[in-house]
Amino acid sequence: MFLISERINGMFTAVKKAIAARDAAAIGEIALRQLAAGADALDLNVGTAAAEPAEAMVWLVESVRAVSAATLCLDHPNIEVIRAGAEAAGDNFIINSTTAREEDLAKFLPLAAQTGAGLIALTLDEKGVPNTVDGRVEIAARILIAAEGAGLPPDRLFIDPVTLPINVAQDQPKKLLEAVSQFKLLSDPPPRAVIGLSNLASGSSEKSLLTGAFLAMAMGAGLDAVILDPEDRLLIDLLITGEVLLNRTIYNRDYLKAWRAGKT
Amino acid sequence: MFLISERINGMFTAVKKAIAARDAAAIGEIALRQLAAGADALDLNVGTAAAEPAEAMVWLVESVRAVSAATLCLDHPNIEVIRAGAEAAGDNFIINSTTAREEDLAKFLPLAAQTGAGLIALTLDEKGVPNTVDGRVEIAARILIAAEGAGLPPDRLFIDPVTLPINVAQDQPKKLLEAVSQFKLLSDPPPRAVIGLSNLASGSSEKSLLTGAFLAMAMGAGLDAVILDPEDRLLIDLLITGEVLLNRTIYNRDYLKAWRAGKT
């Protein structure tokens, strides 16, 4: 399971303040903490408050690159902000994200193809996010075809079926599981499936249980990557246990410790 | 999810002692505690120490029936012990279990069909438990056909793909998930899928995490019933959360409490 940390995001107060004050040390500290907790990649999101988002993105990239060579996940809807971040990053990054709208695919797919980046693509088009499994799979198929046309191979494409909060859309988690398992049948090699987990429990109680149980289910259905907070202990314990159950991490009595030791 | 309590089993010291001393109050107390913790049914297993297993089974049935009308799960490999327990129970019971060996099916299927009982059937035949998904599904199909011939409808048949300890067979959990999802495609209506969860973590550390994460995965794959200890708090929290995620229990901020209140 490929773990993308969600915490370097301007919607969190500490990050918002650090961006405003250009406090690179504060960003570096969060980055190292998230990596120590198990992150494979760090999502970088300047938030909505940054007056110059492209400049803030470049600064975020440089602040993290100063302490780590980890994969970066450049998170912004505007391609110019992504382009600026991509130039600062150089390589080893993922673009988060494109929608399946034609105009977005026409911009983001070539950039990902040319820069060697991964690309997260949401099953969201001109009509919004479909309510059904079939609707999501149909959009995913369209994204895959467009990616092929742009020269982006399936294994650099991360399809995100778009998680909605369970307290407003309780029928959706089951559909996401089915969508994930169907994404994996769309091509050979298949695209990767990714989920942004926190939105599921947005506004809910029992966030760790809800996200943790759903993560286990989604791993069973074929999920490849997840965007989450690796400092959520129960959630990561369940993720590690899922890796053991799927025979991707060797079981021993200290498997939780061993996994964490391998990350630091 | 149909929860079968595993705790009234002569392999546990307290139960072994209670059976030896014919201490019905002790059995009744465990039964009520397991039901309060969320059990829908109580597995009754006299263990290997009972000198007269049929008589001990009848006594167990009567001891539990004295405090509860809950579904009983009569657990013994010998059909005479089951038959004695079935007569004492009268109705509302499940037989646990038959193998797929021809001689076992020829005995257990008619008894289940005639008594109106449910029947747990293991994907285990003359050659043992298959190592593969296909092997398990093939046996399940054979059981289904035999059940139809004996007049036992699929919804009273619980197919158990046989859980092995992860510390000796780490490749098996993933195969069990695939087997469960394939069992559900074998007929319409489909048979039920059941798993005995504890064996997965037998001899392992982190039992609650291993069984809980696997239960979530198996629920996502279509599991209908599970044999476990409902007093394992994290395990049941994950089960309840799984029910919420699959939209079978309504989400609200107190969904854990609400589910438990509904059980008592």
Side-chain angles (χ1 to χ4, degrees):
Chain A
M1 185 64 34
F2 188 73
L3 259 78
I4 304 170
S5 147
E6 70 182 11
R7 293 299 299 187
I8 304 182
N9 188 317
M11 78 174 188
F12 296 112
T13 310
V15 174
K16 189 176 175 181
K17 279 187 187 168
I19 294 174
R22 292 296 187 265
D23 181 352
I27 297 296
E29 200 179 297
I30 300 170
L32 291 177
R33 223 169 53 214
Q34 293 271 299
L35 291 165
D40 297 305
L42 300 164
D43 191 77
L44 304 185
N45 185 317
V46 297
T48 49
E52 299 279 351
E55 193 271 328
M57 178 65 91
V58 169
W59 177 82
L60 262 188
V61 168
E62 289 169 349
S63 301
V64 173
R65 280 283 197 253
V67 299
S68 165
T71 304
L72 302 179
C73 201
L74 308 173
D75 186 356
H76 204 275
N78 184 325
I79 194 153
E80 295 313 322
V81 177
I82 299 291
R83 212 183 292 275
E87 273 169 36
D91 64 358
N92 197 19
F93 64 92
I94 295 166
I95 297 169
N96 183 16
S97 57
T98 183
T99 73
R101 292 185 198 108
E102 272 189 40
E103 61 182 73
D104 281 343
L105 290 174
K107 289 184 291 189
F108 283 93
L109 285 171
L111 180 62
Q114 287 153 24
T115 55
L119 176 64
I120 296 176
L122 310 172
T123 59
L124 180 168
D125 67 5
E126 287 77 2
K127 295 179 201 155
V129 178
N131 194 27
T132 62
V133 176
D134 285 353
R136 287 180 165 99
V137 174
E138 194 197 302
I139 293 179
R142 245 192 287 141
I143 295 168
L144 257 172
I145 291 168
E148 196 186 0
L152 185 71
D155 61 357
R156 271 166 50 203
L157 191 62
F158 295 77
I159 310 272
D160 181 338
V162 187
T163 314
L164 301 172
I166 193 160
N167 61 359
V168 298
Q170 207 187 327
D171 64 323
Q172 289 297 303
K174 190 169 197 290
K175 293 180 182 174
L176 289 188
L177 295 177
E178 290 170 23
V180 164
S181 68
Q182 291 195 32
F183 292 167
K184 306 301 296 180
L185 304 173
L186 283 174
S187 63
D188 185 16
R192 304 201 200 196
V194 65
I195 276 180
L197 207 52
S198 299
N199 204 35
L200 176 79
S202 175
S204 294
S205 61
E206 308 297 350
K207 287 179 195 293
S208 298
L209 278 173
L210 282 165
T211 54
F214 186 65
L215 177 58
M217 288 176 167
M219 290 174 73
L223 193 73
D224 300 284
V226 61
I227 308 173
L228 48 56
D229 178 5
E231 293 182 71
D232 182 331
R233 186 96 191 179
L234 174 59
L235 177 56
I236 299 304
D237 280 354
L238 286 165
L239 182 147
I240 302 168
T241 303
E243 293 286 271
V244 167
L245 289 165
L246 296 174
N247 205 13
R248 297 191 294 223
T249 289
I250 293 172
Y251 170 80
N252 66 48
R253 295 192 66 80
D254 292 317
Y255 72 87
L256 295 171
K257 269 191 200 167
W259 186 92
R260 289 192 164 98
K263 290 285 183 173
T264 51
Chain B
M1 186 64 33
F2 189 73
L3 259 79
I4 305 170
S5 146
E6 70 183 10
R7 293 297 299 188
I8 304 182
N9 187 318
M11 78 173 190
F12 297 112
T13 310
V15 174
K16 190 176 173 181
K17 279 186 187 167
I19 294 174
R22 292 296 189 263
D23 181 353
I27 296 296
E29 200 181 297
I30 300 171
L32 291 177
R33 223 169 53 214
Q34 293 270 298
L35 291 166
D40 298 304
L42 300 164
D43 192 76
L44 304 185
N45 185 317
V46 298
T48 49
E52 301 280 349
E55 193 271 329
M57 178 65 91
V58 169
W59 176 82
L60 261 188
V61 168
E62 289 169 349
S63 301
V64 174
R65 279 284 197 252
V67 298
S68 165
T71 304
L72 303 179
C73 201
L74 308 173
D75 186 356
H76 204 277
N78 183 325
I79 194 155
E80 295 313 323
V81 177
I82 298 291
R83 212 183 292 275
E87 272 169 36
D91 64 358
N92 197 18
F93 64 92
I94 295 166
I95 297 169
N96 184 15
S97 57
T98 183
T99 73
R101 291 183 200 112
E102 272 188 42
E103 60 181 76
D104 281 342
L105 290 174
K107 287 185 292 189
F108 283 92
L109 286 172
L111 180 63
Q114 286 152 25
T115 55
L119 176 64
I120 296 176
L122 310 172
T123 59
L124 179 167
D125 66 6
E126 288 76 3
K127 295 179 199 153
V129 178
N131 195 27
T132 62
V133 176
D134 285 354
R136 286 181 167 98
V137 174
E138 194 196 303
I139 293 179
R142 245 191 288 142
I143 295 168
L144 257 173
I145 291 167
E148 195 186 359
L152 185 72
D155 60 356
R156 272 166 49 203
L157 191 62
F158 296 77
I159 310 272
D160 181 337
V162 187
T163 314
L164 302 171
I166 194 160
N167 61 359
V168 297
Q170 207 186 327
D171 64 323
Q172 289 298 303
K174 191 168 197 287
K175 293 180 182 175
L176 290 188
L177 296 176
E178 289 170 25
V180 164
S181 67
Q182 290 195 33
F183 292 167
K184 307 301 296 180
L185 304 173
L186 283 174
S187 63
D188 184 18
R192 305 201 200 194
V194 65
I195 276 180
L197 207 51
S198 299
N199 203 36
L200 177 79
S202 175
S204 294
S205 61
E206 308 297 349
K207 288 179 196 290
S208 298
L209 278 173
L210 283 165
T211 54
F214 187 66
L215 176 58
M217 288 176 167
M219 288 174 74
L223 192 72
D224 299 284
V226 60
I227 307 174
L228 47 57
D229 178 5
E231 292 182 71
D232 181 331
R233 185 95 191 179
L234 174 60
L235 176 56
I236 299 303
D237 280 354
L238 286 165
L239 182 148
I240 302 169
T241 303
E243 293 285 271
V244 167
L245 289 165
L246 296 173
N247 205 12
R248 298 191 293 221
T249 289
I250 293 172
Y251 170 80
N252 66 48
R253 295 192 66 80
D254 291 318
Y255 72 88
L256 295 172
K257 269 191 200 167
W259 186 92
R260 288 192 165 97
K263 290 286 183 173
T264 50

